[in-house]
Amino acid sequence: MTGGPAAKPDAPAVRSLLDLTGRVALVTGAGGGIGRVIARRFAEAGARVAVHYRTSREGALSLVHEIAGAGGEARAFAADLNASDAAEALVDDVASALGPLDALVNNAGGYPLAELMQMKPDAWDDVLASNLRSAFVCLQAAGRRMAARGTGAIVNVTSIQAFRPAPALAHYSAAKAGLEMLTRSAALELGPSGVRVNAVAPGLIWREGLETAWPEGVARFSKASPLGRVGRPEEVADACLFLASSAARFVTGTTLVVDGGVLAGPAF
């Protein structure tokens, strides 16, 4: 089945596909970890970047300084996304400081370990709030404003744990699975307004001290991956950058898995 506008739109030049010059991007949970790298890569692509943090103030401010030192533009914004109307205020503050939002990366979240049978309801609620509710309220706040402008891209950072369970991560897997379906639902409802919504699902990604803290996990993941290693934060960031860019202008409602091929392996 084919269809489309009466006039064929000109394709962007290849060199401009990942160019975010003039665009404003908000990355949640960017005070450290993968979020920090996502924000840095978006700034390298030319975006004016809003670096959101909840508790990692020093990390967020150092990133803003780093981006400015490289010739980019960034501002740090503090917000507890579980607080009432915090997401609405955050998006408005970003627009006032940097301009209307063009891209949102929902990266904020956490994954404390807890055995299912010993898990307290409050622990379940906390993980669903930090990983799913926070993304929902940010998506809603940004999505309304993007839809009114007729353009925008939202990227939700999920996990391969949305597709395969792991011990002591039932709450995290449930939250990320919910975020997968929120991505598709939002793509369906926001698409007619010109807003694209996609997800990136990382596998095990390197962080400082990972090999020391969890050597058996690194070994298992590396063995399961056809590429034979864990991922790098830059590899997740580049997937987010692709989905937010013009290179993915006809991509919505899908998930880009960044796991070195682990999910492609045999189940048994």
Side-chain angles (χ1 to χ4, degrees):
M1 180 177 179
T2 60
K8 180 180 177 181
D10 293 332
V14 170
R15 64 181 177 277
S16 71
L17 288 178
L18 298 180
D19 185 2
L20 300 186
T21 300
R23 302 187 201 180
V24 175
L26 166 62
V27 182
T28 67
I34 293 174
R36 181 183 183 91
V37 181
I38 294 171
R40 184 191 301 126
R41 295 296 262 185
F42 272 59
E44 290 174 3
R48 299 193 296 276
V49 180
V51 177
H52 160 263
Y53 69 95
R54 183 172 66 90
T55 58
S56 303
R57 182 175 184 272
E58 290 186 6
L61 293 177
S62 71
L63 177 59
V64 168
H65 180 74
E66 177 186 334
I67 290 172
E73 184 177 356
R75 291 277 299 273
F77 296 85
D80 179 355
L81 296 176
N82 290 322
S84 178
D85 297 327
E88 295 283 346
L90 173 62
V91 173
D92 282 342
D93 288 346
V94 171
S96 295
L98 298 175
L101 200 59
D102 297 289
L104 164 68
V105 180
N106 274 317
N107 168 75
Y111 48 94
L113 299 178
E115 297 290 339
L116 180 59
M117 293 299 102
Q118 284 74 49
M119 189 185 302
K120 302 297 185 183
D122 285 350
W124 173 273
D125 291 344
D126 288 346
V127 170
L128 262 71
S130 64
N131 288 279
L132 182 56
R133 185 185 185 278
S134 66
F136 160 68
V137 294
C138 288
L139 183 151
Q140 197 173 58
R144 287 193 188 104
R145 292 157 177 80
M146 290 176 177
R149 296 176 61 221
T151 185
I154 297 171
V155 182
N156 296 320
V157 179
T158 65
S159 169
I160 61 170
Q161 301 300 158
F163 310 108
R164 287 190 185 173
L169 283 173
H171 46 0
Y172 179 75
S173 293
K176 293 302 189 182
L179 188 51
E180 284 286 329
M181 193 50 63
L182 174 62
T183 299
R184 288 157 178 74
S185 298
L188 182 66
E189 296 196 30
L190 289 172
S193 298
V195 181
R196 298 183 298 103
V197 187
N198 292 289
V200 170
L204 185 61
I205 304 300
W206 180 89
R207 62 182 182 274
E208 191 70 38
L210 177 63
E211 297 92 338
T212 301
W214 198 33
E216 68 277 12
V218 171
R220 287 203 313 271
F221 187 92
S222 299
K223 183 178 180 180
S225 166
L227 297 183
R229 63 177 177 86
V230 300
R232 300 288 304 183
E234 293 82 3
E235 292 165 330
V236 179
D238 291 347
C240 294
L241 176 60
F242 163 71
L243 289 173
S245 75
S246 297
R249 59 196 177 279
F250 197 55
V251 180
T252 195
T254 196
T255 297
L256 179 51
V257 177
V258 184
D259 72 342
V262 167
L263 289 186
F268 56 89

